[in-house]
Amino acid sequence: MGMMDEKLLLAAEVAAALAENRPVVALESSIVAQGLPEPENLRVGQAMQDAVRQHGAIPAMTAVLDGRLCVGLGPDDMARLAAAADGRKCGARDLGPAMALGLPGATTVSATVRIAAAAGIPVFGTGGIGGVHRMTAGSATTSHLDISADLLAMSQAPVAVVSSGAKSLLDLPSTLETLEALGVPVLGYRCDEFPAFYSAESGLSVTFRFDDLALLSAALRAHWSLPGAGGVLVCNPPPPDLAMSGDAVEALVQDAVRAAGTAGITGGALTPFILSHMRQASGGQTLRVNAALAIANAALAGQLAVSLAASLSTGDKR
């Protein structure tokens, strides 16, 4: 990788695990810096790392710090990101400028996918991916095509992204159609339906269902053996004891969109406004689901990384 090697700063335990072909799981840091309110942000960030460890893998939360791409963050690093007044929310396109300017940057899905691929980490656990925004002219939702960089980044890097689908405030059918066009398999782990983040219900199907981690690992290896293959989306529904009904979530989304329209909220401020409004209107239920599914996805990512490493070490050709 040349220049990229110089820009990657691997934590000692991450470097050792990668050198010994032991399982490592990438994690994003945007959930700590922007995704959740205090004090839930640091609690959930640490709980995600703990969940990865509990299943036998090494967590590697990513960020931009002091001009380098950091892979593996400790509690002090997470606290620094959460408190940084000049911190940036970095997508894949923002990594270079943030490094050059020496800005602290919390990584989103697209940035984490790129960093994980550069470091040689094949599994990434997150809450939910971005997607295609709903298009509704003359309202608080966008009237122009708005596609998350997450989708393109996933198509370009051989990384399995474990998530609870995409948030219901997005256009889920168009998100799935875009993933299909980009050649990204959408695989359900013990589910047939594409999860809608707070809800397991979307009315949309995954392309293949897997109930066995060894077989899922074999599918990943087979996909990556093909020329030009990129990433894979592994869907894990939110924990059933906290998951909300699809109708309840849609009602919250519509109420939040109306409130945003009344307040004149548009552009980059729209999604944070909608999520905050949904959190308040649900009495904190969306926050509880968000935290639980992020931790559950980190746990599944840890299990998947262990299974994938075992299949590689044994030369399993399934």
Side-chain angles (χ1 to χ4, degrees):
M1 288 181 287
M3 183 66 74
M4 180 58 76
D5 285 331
E6 299 173 9
K7 294 297 184 181
L8 280 175
L9 179 60
L10 305 181
E13 66 171 348
V14 173
L18 291 173
E20 297 165 8
N21 295 315
R22 290 187 284 117
V24 177
V25 171
L27 301 170
E28 63 165 280
S29 54
S30 182
I31 194 169
V32 170
Q34 295 97 14
L36 295 172
E38 296 180 347
E40 278 294 281
N41 56 344
L42 294 177
R43 182 193 74 80
V44 172
Q46 188 59 56
M48 291 176 73
Q49 298 203 51
D50 293 343
V52 171
R53 292 187 193 280
Q54 287 166 7
H55 291 283
I58 299 297
M61 186 171 284
T62 63
V64 181
L65 291 171
D66 303 318
R68 301 185 73 178
L69 301 176
C70 296
V71 186
L73 305 184
D76 291 344
D77 296 317
M78 289 194 295
R80 178 183 171 188
L81 281 173
D86 60 343
R88 296 292 296 267
K89 182 178 181 179
C90 290
R93 72 172 186 171
D94 304 308
L95 294 175
M99 289 178 355
L101 293 169
L103 296 174
T107 51
T108 63
V109 169
S110 67
T112 305
V113 164
R114 182 162 293 183
I115 295 171
I121 300 172
V123 180
F124 164 32
T126 187
I129 63 166
V132 180
H133 281 260
R134 301 186 188 191
M135 294 178 64
T136 309
S139 77
T141 48
T142 183
S143 59
H144 61 276
L145 189 60
D146 185 347
I147 303 175
S148 171
D150 295 353
L151 306 185
L152 183 60
M154 290 171 58
S155 74
Q156 295 173 331
V159 176
V161 180
V162 179
S163 86
S164 295
K167 290 185 177 70
S168 299
L169 59 92
L170 300 172
D171 181 338
L172 299 185
S174 293
T175 297
L176 285 173
E177 288 170 6
T178 303
L179 287 168
E180 179 183 4
L182 292 171
V184 178
V186 178
L187 309 181
Y189 181 65
R190 298 182 177 176
C191 66
D192 297 297
E193 202 164 342
F194 182 67
F197 198 72
Y198 302 118
S199 173
E201 306 165 10
S202 70
L204 303 167
S205 298
V206 297
T207 48
F208 293 94
R209 172 178 174 144
F210 290 86
D211 293 292
D212 177 78
L213 279 173
L215 196 55
L216 176 56
S217 298
L220 296 178
R221 292 189 63 202
H223 175 70
W224 290 329
S225 72
L226 301 173
V232 176
L233 180 61
V234 176
C235 297
N236 187 35
D241 57 327
L242 287 174
M244 303 170 68
S245 73
D247 289 343
V249 175
E250 183 60 23
L252 287 171
V253 170
Q254 293 298 332
D255 183 53
V257 167
R258 285 191 293 269
T262 300
I265 305 296
T266 60
L270 179 59
T271 296
F273 178 92
I274 289 177
L275 296 180
S276 177
H277 191 280
M278 291 174 66
R279 183 163 61 242
Q280 294 172 8
S282 68
Q285 180 66 5
T286 58
L287 175 61
R288 291 188 287 273
V289 179
N290 192 342
L293 66 82
I295 296 166
N297 292 341
L300 177 57
Q303 296 174 68
L304 180 57
V306 168
S307 176
L308 189 60
S311 70
L312 290 171
S313 65
T314 59
D316 183 3
K317 300 298 182 183
R318 284 186 300 165

